[in-house]
């Protein structure tokens, strides 16, 4: 309700829920304050979907799994950023995969499409360097891939209802705001 107040009712046609990368921090490591137990994470996803559907009447919802974790790059990032040498990673790709599996299960339970970034990223060559800037957060190329995958999923899941190229713009397109060289 804090992010999507009831005043937004009827205005939103599509919502994505993209949580889990921080929730998957390990409970006994340096980022433990971000950890959310898997059962709580699952319940939180159900609660958010319920709010979006029942309160706001959002007709289309897509769940997005957390991306994979590159543990070696997390070690480097933590040392460079915080001057701390970790003995054990504060996040693991295995744990991120468990959260991804929960997202997939919730999508199946609720009949919602799921963008499985955890698996899609790992299918890409050199994903650790190309798609993640610090072993966790997306690079520009990673964000571009998410956009392309999301566009594809919208097209295949909602077909005519949300044909991407026919959606109205909320704001003018950039090219309509600049003087044309012609």
């Amino acid at each position: 309700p804090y992010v999507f107040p009831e005043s937004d009712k009827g205005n939103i046609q599509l919502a994505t829920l993209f949580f889990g990368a921080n929730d998957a921090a390990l409970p006994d490591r340096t980022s433990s304050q971000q950890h959310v137990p898997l059962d709580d994470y699952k319940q939180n996803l159900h609660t958010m979907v319920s709010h979006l559907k029942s309160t706001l009447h959002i007709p289309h919802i897509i769940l997005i799994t957390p991306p994979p974790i590159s543990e070696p790059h997390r070690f480097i990032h933590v040392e460079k950023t915080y001057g701390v040498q970790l003995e054990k990673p504060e996040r693991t790709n295995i744990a991120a995969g468990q959260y991804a599996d929960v997202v997939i299960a919730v999508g199946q339970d609720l009949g919602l499409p799921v963008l499985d970034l955890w698996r899609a990223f790992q299918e890409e060559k050199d994903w650790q360097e190309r798609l993640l800037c610090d072993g966790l957060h997306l690079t520009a190329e990673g964000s571009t891939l998410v956009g392309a995958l999301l566009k594809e999923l919208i097209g295949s899941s909602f077909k005519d209802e949300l044909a991407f190229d026919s959606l109205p713009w909320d704001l003018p397109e950039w090219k309509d705001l600049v003087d044309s060289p012609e």
Side-chain angles (χ1 to χ4, degrees), residues 112-144:
L112 298 175
V114 174
L115 176 52
D116 187 356
L117 286 187
W118 190 80
R119 287 169 181 81
F121 271 32
Q122 292 181 82
E123 292 173 0
E124 295 288 318
K125 182 179 179 182
D126 300 325
W127 64 270
Q128 298 93 333
E129 295 84 20
R130 287 184 32 243
L131 306 178
L132 302 174
C133 64
D134 59 2
L136 173 65
H137 298 96
L138 307 181
T139 62
E141 187 175 353
S143 294
T144 299

PDB file of all heavy atoms in Angstrom, residues 112-144:
ATOM      1  N   LEU A 112       0.624 -16.888 -13.012  1.00  0.00           N
ATOM      2  CA  LEU A 112       1.276 -15.674 -13.506  1.00  0.00           C
ATOM      3  C   LEU A 112       2.522 -16.022 -14.311  1.00  0.00           C
ATOM      4  O   LEU A 112       3.247 -16.961 -13.965  1.00  0.00           O
ATOM      5  CB  LEU A 112       1.689 -14.778 -12.338  1.00  0.00           C
ATOM      6  CG  LEU A 112       0.572 -14.259 -11.444  1.00  0.00           C
ATOM      7  CD1 LEU A 112       1.159 -13.489 -10.263  1.00  0.00           C
ATOM      8  CD2 LEU A 112      -0.390 -13.390 -12.236  1.00  0.00           C
ATOM      9  N   PRO A 113       2.807 -15.242 -15.344  1.00  0.00           N
ATOM     10  CA  PRO A 113       4.054 -15.464 -16.074  1.00  0.00           C
ATOM     11  C   PRO A 113       5.250 -15.072 -15.216  1.00  0.00           C
ATOM     12  O   PRO A 113       5.163 -14.158 -14.379  1.00  0.00           O
ATOM     13  CB  PRO A 113       3.930 -14.561 -17.299  1.00  0.00           C
ATOM     14  CG  PRO A 113       2.857 -13.593 -17.003  1.00  0.00           C
ATOM     15  CD  PRO A 113       1.998 -14.179 -15.923  1.00  0.00           C
ATOM     16  N   VAL A 114       6.366 -15.770 -15.437  1.00  0.00           N
ATOM     17  CA  VAL A 114       7.592 -15.522 -14.672  1.00  0.00           C
ATOM     18  C   VAL A 114       8.741 -15.323 -15.635  1.00  0.00           C
ATOM     19  O   VAL A 114       8.942 -16.124 -16.557  1.00  0.00           O
ATOM     20  CB  VAL A 114       7.909 -16.706 -13.734  1.00  0.00           C
ATOM     21  CG1 VAL A 114       9.252 -16.503 -13.043  1.00  0.00           C
ATOM     22  CG2 VAL A 114       6.797 -16.896 -12.709  1.00  0.00           C
ATOM     23  N   LEU A 115       9.484 -14.257 -15.417  1.00  0.00           N
ATOM     24  CA  LEU A 115      10.735 -14.041 -16.138  1.00  0.00           C
ATOM     25  C   LEU A 115      11.840 -14.616 -15.260  1.00  0.00           C
ATOM     26  O   LEU A 115      12.141 -14.073 -14.198  1.00  0.00           O
ATOM     27  CB  LEU A 115      10.954 -12.547 -16.402  1.00  0.00           C
ATOM     28  CG  LEU A 115      12.278 -12.159 -17.059  1.00  0.00           C
ATOM     29  CD1 LEU A 115      12.539 -12.952 -18.327  1.00  0.00           C
ATOM     30  CD2 LEU A 115      12.301 -10.674 -17.329  1.00  0.00           C
ATOM     31  N   ASP A 116      12.433 -15.705 -15.706  1.00  0.00           N
ATOM     32  CA  ASP A 116      13.437 -16.416 -14.920  1.00  0.00           C
ATOM     33  C   ASP A 116      14.830 -15.886 -15.261  1.00  0.00           C
ATOM     34  O   ASP A 116      15.559 -16.474 -16.058  1.00  0.00           O
ATOM     35  CB  ASP A 116      13.336 -17.922 -15.172  1.00  0.00           C
ATOM     36  CG  ASP A 116      14.240 -18.728 -14.269  1.00  0.00           C
ATOM     37  OD1 ASP A 116      15.009 -18.140 -13.480  1.00  0.00           O
ATOM     38  OD2 ASP A 116      14.172 -19.970 -14.357  1.00  0.00           O
ATOM     39  N   LEU A 117      15.188 -14.773 -14.647  1.00  0.00           N
ATOM     40  CA  LEU A 117      16.507 -14.180 -14.880  1.00  0.00           C
ATOM     41  C   LEU A 117      17.623 -15.066 -14.369  1.00  0.00           C
ATOM     42  O   LEU A 117      18.713 -15.085 -14.945  1.00  0.00           O
ATOM     43  CB  LEU A 117      16.623 -12.823 -14.167  1.00  0.00           C
ATOM     44  CG  LEU A 117      15.894 -11.655 -14.759  1.00  0.00           C
ATOM     45  CD1 LEU A 117      16.273 -10.383 -14.018  1.00  0.00           C
ATOM     46  CD2 LEU A 117      16.179 -11.509 -16.221  1.00  0.00           C
ATOM     47  N   TRP A 118      17.372 -15.772 -13.271  1.00  0.00           N
ATOM     48  CA  TRP A 118      18.417 -16.594 -12.678  1.00  0.00           C
ATOM     49  C   TRP A 118      18.954 -17.577 -13.721  1.00  0.00           C
ATOM     50  O   TRP A 118      20.148 -17.740 -13.868  1.00  0.00           O
ATOM     51  CB  TRP A 118      17.885 -17.311 -11.439  1.00  0.00           C
ATOM     52  CG  TRP A 118      18.956 -17.982 -10.647  1.00  0.00           C
ATOM     53  CD1 TRP A 118      19.812 -17.396  -9.762  1.00  0.00           C
ATOM     54  CD2 TRP A 118      19.309 -19.373 -10.680  1.00  0.00           C
ATOM     55  NE1 TRP A 118      20.675 -18.332  -9.234  1.00  0.00           N
ATOM     56  CE2 TRP A 118      20.384 -19.556  -9.782  1.00  0.00           C
ATOM     57  CE3 TRP A 118      18.822 -20.470 -11.365  1.00  0.00           C
ATOM     58  CZ2 TRP A 118      20.983 -20.798  -9.561  1.00  0.00           C
ATOM     59  CZ3 TRP A 118      19.413 -21.713 -11.139  1.00  0.00           C
ATOM     60  CH2 TRP A 118      20.482 -21.854 -10.247  1.00  0.00           C
ATOM     61  N   ARG A 119      18.072 -18.200 -14.460  1.00  0.00           N
ATOM     62  CA  ARG A 119      18.506 -19.156 -15.479  1.00  0.00           C
ATOM     63  C   ARG A 119      18.908 -18.463 -16.779  1.00  0.00           C
ATOM     64  O   ARG A 119      19.905 -18.836 -17.401  1.00  0.00           O
ATOM     65  CB  ARG A 119      17.411 -20.191 -15.708  1.00  0.00           C
ATOM     66  CG  ARG A 119      17.308 -21.164 -14.539  1.00  0.00           C
ATOM     67  CD  ARG A 119      16.067 -22.052 -14.582  1.00  0.00           C
ATOM     68  NE  ARG A 119      16.030 -22.936 -13.416  1.00  0.00           N
ATOM     69  CZ  ARG A 119      15.601 -22.575 -12.204  1.00  0.00           C
ATOM     70  NH1 ARG A 119      15.166 -21.340 -11.975  1.00  0.00           N
ATOM     71  NH2 ARG A 119      15.604 -23.433 -11.199  1.00  0.00           N
ATOM     72  N   ALA A 120      18.148 -17.471 -17.203  1.00  0.00           N
ATOM     73  CA  ALA A 120      18.435 -16.796 -18.476  1.00  0.00           C
ATOM     74  C   ALA A 120      19.825 -16.156 -18.475  1.00  0.00           C
ATOM     75  O   ALA A 120      20.557 -16.262 -19.464  1.00  0.00           O
ATOM     76  CB  ALA A 120      17.364 -15.739 -18.768  1.00  0.00           C
ATOM     77  N   PHE A 121      20.201 -15.501 -17.399  1.00  0.00           N
ATOM     78  CA  PHE A 121      21.520 -14.870 -17.340  1.00  0.00           C
ATOM     79  C   PHE A 121      22.623 -15.911 -17.441  1.00  0.00           C
ATOM     80  O   PHE A 121      23.619 -15.715 -18.133  1.00  0.00           O
ATOM     81  CB  PHE A 121      21.680 -14.073 -16.047  1.00  0.00           C
ATOM     82  CG  PHE A 121      21.215 -12.655 -16.124  1.00  0.00           C
ATOM     83  CD1 PHE A 121      20.164 -12.259 -16.933  1.00  0.00           C
ATOM     84  CD2 PHE A 121      21.831 -11.687 -15.349  1.00  0.00           C
ATOM     85  CE1 PHE A 121      19.740 -10.946 -16.978  1.00  0.00           C
ATOM     86  CE2 PHE A 121      21.427 -10.360 -15.385  1.00  0.00           C
ATOM     87  CZ  PHE A 121      20.369  -9.989 -16.213  1.00  0.00           C
ATOM     88  N   GLN A 122      22.453 -17.033 -16.769  1.00  0.00           N
ATOM     89  CA  GLN A 122      23.504 -18.040 -16.751  1.00  0.00           C
ATOM     90  C   GLN A 122      23.670 -18.750 -18.092  1.00  0.00           C
ATOM     91  O   GLN A 122      24.681 -19.416 -18.320  1.00  0.00           O
ATOM     92  CB  GLN A 122      23.252 -19.054 -15.628  1.00  0.00           C
ATOM     93  CG  GLN A 122      23.429 -18.416 -14.259  1.00  0.00           C
ATOM     94  CD  GLN A 122      23.206 -19.387 -13.138  1.00  0.00           C
ATOM     95  OE1 GLN A 122      24.112 -20.135 -12.790  1.00  0.00           O
ATOM     96  NE2 GLN A 122      21.991 -19.373 -12.589  1.00  0.00           N
ATOM     97  N   GLU A 123      22.719 -18.576 -18.977  1.00  0.00           N
ATOM     98  CA  GLU A 123      22.837 -19.115 -20.330  1.00  0.00           C
ATOM     99  C   GLU A 123      23.676 -18.209 -21.231  1.00  0.00           C
ATOM    100  O   GLU A 123      24.053 -18.605 -22.325  1.00  0.00           O
ATOM    101  CB  GLU A 123      21.445 -19.324 -20.940  1.00  0.00           C
ATOM    102  CG  GLU A 123      20.657 -20.427 -20.256  1.00  0.00           C
ATOM    103  CD  GLU A 123      19.226 -20.534 -20.749  1.00  0.00           C
ATOM    104  OE1 GLU A 123      18.820 -19.738 -21.638  1.00  0.00           O
ATOM    105  OE2 GLU A 123      18.504 -21.409 -20.238  1.00  0.00           O
ATOM    106  N   GLU A 124      23.937 -16.990 -20.759  1.00  0.00           N
ATOM    107  CA  GLU A 124      24.701 -16.020 -21.538  1.00  0.00           C
ATOM    108  C   GLU A 124      26.204 -16.213 -21.323  1.00  0.00           C
ATOM    109  O   GLU A 124      26.646 -16.454 -20.195  1.00  0.00           O
ATOM    110  CB  GLU A 124      24.317 -14.590 -21.128  1.00  0.00           C
ATOM    111  CG  GLU A 124      22.894 -14.226 -21.439  1.00  0.00           C
ATOM    112  CD  GLU A 124      22.654 -14.029 -22.921  1.00  0.00           C
ATOM    113  OE1 GLU A 124      23.511 -13.411 -23.597  1.00  0.00           O
ATOM    114  OE2 GLU A 124      21.599 -14.487 -23.405  1.00  0.00           O
ATOM    115  N   LYS A 125      26.966 -16.052 -22.381  1.00  0.00           N
ATOM    116  CA  LYS A 125      28.425 -16.150 -22.283  1.00  0.00           C
ATOM    117  C   LYS A 125      28.952 -14.998 -21.426  1.00  0.00           C
ATOM    118  O   LYS A 125      28.504 -13.859 -21.561  1.00  0.00           O
ATOM    119  CB  LYS A 125      29.037 -16.092 -23.682  1.00  0.00           C
ATOM    120  CG  LYS A 125      30.535 -16.234 -23.689  1.00  0.00           C
ATOM    121  CD  LYS A 125      31.096 -16.190 -25.088  1.00  0.00           C
ATOM    122  CE  LYS A 125      32.604 -16.325 -24.982  1.00  0.00           C
ATOM    123  NZ  LYS A 125      33.272 -16.259 -26.242  1.00  0.00           N
ATOM    124  N   ASP A 126      29.894 -15.305 -20.550  1.00  0.00           N
ATOM    125  CA  ASP A 126      30.540 -14.297 -19.688  1.00  0.00           C
ATOM    126  C   ASP A 126      29.544 -13.457 -18.892  1.00  0.00           C
ATOM    127  O   ASP A 126      29.742 -12.264 -18.671  1.00  0.00           O
ATOM    128  CB  ASP A 126      31.455 -13.380 -20.511  1.00  0.00           C
ATOM    129  CG  ASP A 126      32.557 -14.131 -21.216  1.00  0.00           C
ATOM    130  OD1 ASP A 126      33.065 -15.120 -20.641  1.00  0.00           O
ATOM    131  OD2 ASP A 126      32.910 -13.746 -22.351  1.00  0.00           O
ATOM    132  N   TRP A 127      28.450 -14.075 -18.451  1.00  0.00           N
ATOM    133  CA  TRP A 127      27.388 -13.344 -17.758  1.00  0.00           C
ATOM    134  C   TRP A 127      27.885 -12.637 -16.509  1.00  0.00           C
ATOM    135  O   TRP A 127      27.408 -11.555 -16.174  1.00  0.00           O
ATOM    136  CB  TRP A 127      26.209 -14.266 -17.432  1.00  0.00           C
ATOM    137  CG  TRP A 127      26.521 -15.383 -16.485  1.00  0.00           C
ATOM    138  CD1 TRP A 127      26.955 -16.636 -16.809  1.00  0.00           C
ATOM    139  CD2 TRP A 127      26.437 -15.362 -15.055  1.00  0.00           C
ATOM    140  NE1 TRP A 127      27.131 -17.396 -15.680  1.00  0.00           N
ATOM    141  CE2 TRP A 127      26.828 -16.644 -14.582  1.00  0.00           C
ATOM    142  CE3 TRP A 127      26.076 -14.397 -14.127  1.00  0.00           C
ATOM    143  CZ2 TRP A 127      26.856 -16.966 -13.228  1.00  0.00           C
ATOM    144  CZ3 TRP A 127      26.101 -14.721 -12.772  1.00  0.00           C
ATOM    145  CH2 TRP A 127      26.489 -15.988 -12.339  1.00  0.00           C
ATOM    146  N   GLN A 128      28.859 -13.234 -15.813  1.00  0.00           N
ATOM    147  CA  GLN A 128      29.324 -12.652 -14.555  1.00  0.00           C
ATOM    148  C   GLN A 128      29.881 -11.252 -14.756  1.00  0.00           C
ATOM    149  O   GLN A 128      29.647 -10.365 -13.935  1.00  0.00           O
ATOM    150  CB  GLN A 128      30.406 -13.535 -13.910  1.00  0.00           C
ATOM    151  CG  GLN A 128      29.943 -14.924 -13.546  1.00  0.00           C
ATOM    152  CD  GLN A 128      30.208 -15.946 -14.645  1.00  0.00           C
ATOM    153  OE1 GLN A 128      30.277 -15.629 -15.830  1.00  0.00           O
ATOM    154  NE2 GLN A 128      30.346 -17.195 -14.247  1.00  0.00           N
ATOM    155  N   GLU A 129      30.617 -11.026 -15.839  1.00  0.00           N
ATOM    156  CA  GLU A 129      31.213  -9.712 -16.110  1.00  0.00           C
ATOM    157  C   GLU A 129      30.287  -8.825 -16.925  1.00  0.00           C
ATOM    158  O   GLU A 129      30.214  -7.624 -16.695  1.00  0.00           O
ATOM    159  CB  GLU A 129      32.537  -9.859 -16.873  1.00  0.00           C
ATOM    160  CG  GLU A 129      33.632 -10.553 -16.104  1.00  0.00           C
ATOM    161  CD  GLU A 129      33.559 -12.086 -16.190  1.00  0.00           C
ATOM    162  OE1 GLU A 129      32.913 -12.621 -17.119  1.00  0.00           O
ATOM    163  OE2 GLU A 129      34.134 -12.748 -15.314  1.00  0.00           O
ATOM    164  N   ARG A 130      29.621  -9.407 -17.891  1.00  0.00           N
ATOM    165  CA  ARG A 130      28.806  -8.611 -18.812  1.00  0.00           C
ATOM    166  C   ARG A 130      27.501  -8.125 -18.195  1.00  0.00           C
ATOM    167  O   ARG A 130      27.064  -7.009 -18.479  1.00  0.00           O
ATOM    168  CB  ARG A 130      28.472  -9.429 -20.063  1.00  0.00           C
ATOM    169  CG  ARG A 130      29.616  -9.632 -21.012  1.00  0.00           C
ATOM    170  CD  ARG A 130      29.216 -10.379 -22.296  1.00  0.00           C
ATOM    171  NE  ARG A 130      27.858 -10.108 -22.709  1.00  0.00           N
ATOM    172  CZ  ARG A 130      26.895 -11.049 -22.769  1.00  0.00           C
ATOM    173  NH1 ARG A 130      27.128 -12.299 -22.439  1.00  0.00           N
ATOM    174  NH2 ARG A 130      25.684 -10.723 -23.171  1.00  0.00           N
ATOM    175  N   LEU A 131      26.860  -8.961 -17.384  1.00  0.00           N
ATOM    176  CA  LEU A 131      25.501  -8.654 -16.940  1.00  0.00           C
ATOM    177  C   LEU A 131      25.414  -8.153 -15.504  1.00  0.00           C
ATOM    178  O   LEU A 131      24.405  -7.558 -15.119  1.00  0.00           O
ATOM    179  CB  LEU A 131      24.611  -9.885 -17.127  1.00  0.00           C
ATOM    180  CG  LEU A 131      24.595 -10.480 -18.547  1.00  0.00           C
ATOM    181  CD1 LEU A 131      23.716 -11.719 -18.599  1.00  0.00           C
ATOM    182  CD2 LEU A 131      24.170  -9.450 -19.577  1.00  0.00           C
ATOM    183  N   LEU A 132      26.470  -8.392 -14.716  1.00  0.00           N
ATOM    184  CA  LEU A 132      26.485  -7.969 -13.311  1.00  0.00           C
ATOM    185  C   LEU A 132      27.718  -7.098 -13.065  1.00  0.00           C
ATOM    186  O   LEU A 132      28.823  -7.455 -13.460  1.00  0.00           O
ATOM    187  CB  LEU A 132      26.516  -9.181 -12.375  1.00  0.00           C
ATOM    188  CG  LEU A 132      25.372 -10.186 -12.513  1.00  0.00           C
ATOM    189  CD1 LEU A 132      25.625 -11.392 -11.621  1.00  0.00           C
ATOM    190  CD2 LEU A 132      24.031  -9.551 -12.202  1.00  0.00           C
ATOM    191  N   CYS A 133      27.536  -5.975 -12.390  1.00  0.00           N
ATOM    192  CA  CYS A 133      28.659  -5.060 -12.173  1.00  0.00           C
ATOM    193  C   CYS A 133      29.462  -5.402 -10.925  1.00  0.00           C
ATOM    194  O   CYS A 133      30.627  -5.040 -10.828  1.00  0.00           O
ATOM    195  CB  CYS A 133      28.177  -3.616 -12.123  1.00  0.00           C
ATOM    196  SG  CYS A 133      27.077  -3.244 -10.749  1.00  0.00           S
ATOM    197  N   ASP A 134      28.865  -6.076  -9.981  1.00  0.00           N
ATOM    198  CA  ASP A 134      29.546  -6.371  -8.716  1.00  0.00           C
ATOM    199  C   ASP A 134      29.196  -7.762  -8.200  1.00  0.00           C
ATOM    200  O   ASP A 134      29.282  -8.031  -7.019  1.00  0.00           O
ATOM    201  CB  ASP A 134      29.181  -5.323  -7.670  1.00  0.00           C
ATOM    202  CG  ASP A 134      27.679  -5.264  -7.397  1.00  0.00           C
ATOM    203  OD1 ASP A 134      26.917  -6.061  -7.989  1.00  0.00           O
ATOM    204  OD2 ASP A 134      27.263  -4.424  -6.581  1.00  0.00           O
ATOM    205  N   GLY A 135      28.786  -8.601  -9.129  1.00  0.00           N
ATOM    206  CA  GLY A 135      28.370  -9.943  -8.754  1.00  0.00           C
ATOM    207  C   GLY A 135      26.924 -10.031  -8.314  1.00  0.00           C
ATOM    208  O   GLY A 135      26.417 -11.118  -8.055  1.00  0.00           O
ATOM    209  N   LEU A 136      26.233  -8.886  -8.242  1.00  0.00           N
ATOM    210  CA  LEU A 136      24.854  -8.847  -7.750  1.00  0.00           C
ATOM    211  C   LEU A 136      23.966  -7.919  -8.584  1.00  0.00           C
ATOM    212  O   LEU A 136      22.904  -8.313  -9.036  1.00  0.00           O
ATOM    213  CB  LEU A 136      24.831  -8.394  -6.287  1.00  0.00           C
ATOM    214  CG  LEU A 136      23.478  -8.131  -5.636  1.00  0.00           C
ATOM    215  CD1 LEU A 136      22.678  -9.420  -5.531  1.00  0.00           C
ATOM    216  CD2 LEU A 136      23.668  -7.522  -4.249  1.00  0.00           C
ATOM    217  N   HIS A 137      24.402  -6.683  -8.765  1.00  0.00           N
ATOM    218  CA  HIS A 137      23.580  -5.675  -9.450  1.00  0.00           C
ATOM    219  C   HIS A 137      23.827  -5.687 -10.959  1.00  0.00           C
ATOM    220  O   HIS A 137      24.923  -6.001 -11.414  1.00  0.00           O
ATOM    221  CB  HIS A 137      23.862  -4.292  -8.871  1.00  0.00           C
ATOM    222  CG  HIS A 137      23.516  -4.194  -7.428  1.00  0.00           C
ATOM    223  ND1 HIS A 137      24.456  -4.356  -6.440  1.00  0.00           N
ATOM    224  CD2 HIS A 137      22.334  -4.003  -6.807  1.00  0.00           C
ATOM    225  CE1 HIS A 137      23.865  -4.241  -5.256  1.00  0.00           C
ATOM    226  NE2 HIS A 137      22.572  -4.035  -5.446  1.00  0.00           N
ATOM    227  N   LEU A 138      22.810  -5.291 -11.701  1.00  0.00           N
ATOM    228  CA  LEU A 138      22.859  -5.351 -13.149  1.00  0.00           C
ATOM    229  C   LEU A 138      23.728  -4.253 -13.752  1.00  0.00           C
ATOM    230  O   LEU A 138      23.713  -3.105 -13.295  1.00  0.00           O
ATOM    231  CB  LEU A 138      21.451  -5.222 -13.728  1.00  0.00           C
ATOM    232  CG  LEU A 138      20.379  -6.180 -13.206  1.00  0.00           C
ATOM    233  CD1 LEU A 138      19.061  -5.916 -13.910  1.00  0.00           C
ATOM    234  CD2 LEU A 138      20.793  -7.609 -13.339  1.00  0.00           C
ATOM    235  N   THR A 139      24.437  -4.601 -14.807  1.00  0.00           N
ATOM    236  CA  THR A 139      25.119  -3.608 -15.633  1.00  0.00           C
ATOM    237  C   THR A 139      24.095  -3.029 -16.604  1.00  0.00           C
ATOM    238  O   THR A 139      22.949  -3.505 -16.669  1.00  0.00           O
ATOM    239  CB  THR A 139      26.245  -4.266 -16.454  1.00  0.00           C
ATOM    240  OG1 THR A 139      25.656  -5.243 -17.325  1.00  0.00           O
ATOM    241  CG2 THR A 139      27.310  -4.894 -15.573  1.00  0.00           C
ATOM    242  N   ALA A 140      24.511  -2.059 -17.395  1.00  0.00           N
ATOM    243  CA  ALA A 140      23.630  -1.523 -18.436  1.00  0.00           C
ATOM    244  C   ALA A 140      23.232  -2.638 -19.400  1.00  0.00           C
ATOM    245  O   ALA A 140      22.069  -2.742 -19.807  1.00  0.00           O
ATOM    246  CB  ALA A 140      24.313  -0.375 -19.170  1.00  0.00           C
ATOM    247  N   GLU A 141      24.186  -3.493 -19.754  1.00  0.00           N
ATOM    248  CA  GLU A 141      23.887  -4.606 -20.651  1.00  0.00           C
ATOM    249  C   GLU A 141      22.924  -5.593 -19.992  1.00  0.00           C
ATOM    250  O   GLU A 141      22.023  -6.129 -20.645  1.00  0.00           O
ATOM    251  CB  GLU A 141      25.174  -5.313 -21.069  1.00  0.00           C
ATOM    252  CG  GLU A 141      24.961  -6.364 -22.134  1.00  0.00           C
ATOM    253  CD  GLU A 141      26.246  -6.995 -22.643  1.00  0.00           C
ATOM    254  OE1 GLU A 141      27.349  -6.550 -22.279  1.00  0.00           O
ATOM    255  OE2 GLU A 141      26.133  -7.968 -23.413  1.00  0.00           O
ATOM    256  N   GLY A 142      23.087  -5.825 -18.697  1.00  0.00           N
ATOM    257  CA  GLY A 142      22.159  -6.690 -17.977  1.00  0.00           C
ATOM    258  C   GLY A 142      20.751  -6.116 -17.971  1.00  0.00           C
ATOM    259  O   GLY A 142      19.768  -6.833 -18.187  1.00  0.00           O
ATOM    260  N   SER A 143      20.653  -4.809 -17.743  1.00  0.00           N
ATOM    261  CA  SER A 143      19.339  -4.153 -17.753  1.00  0.00           C
ATOM    262  C   SER A 143      18.706  -4.200 -19.141  1.00  0.00           C
ATOM    263  O   SER A 143      17.487  -4.396 -19.270  1.00  0.00           O
ATOM    264  CB  SER A 143      19.477  -2.695 -17.298  1.00  0.00           C
ATOM    265  OG  SER A 143      19.866  -2.642 -15.950  1.00  0.00           O
ATOM    266  N   THR A 144      19.520  -4.022 -20.162  1.00  0.00           N
ATOM    267  CA  THR A 144      19.013  -4.109 -21.530  1.00  0.00           C
ATOM    268  C   THR A 144      18.475  -5.497 -21.823  1.00  0.00           C
ATOM    269  O   THR A 144      17.416  -5.647 -22.434  1.00  0.00           O
ATOM    270  CB  THR A 144      20.126  -3.732 -22.537  1.00  0.00           C
ATOM    271  OG1 THR A 144      20.529  -2.383 -22.280  1.00  0.00           O
ATOM    272  CG2 THR A 144      19.649  -3.852 -23.973  1.00  0.00           C
TER     273      THR A 144
END
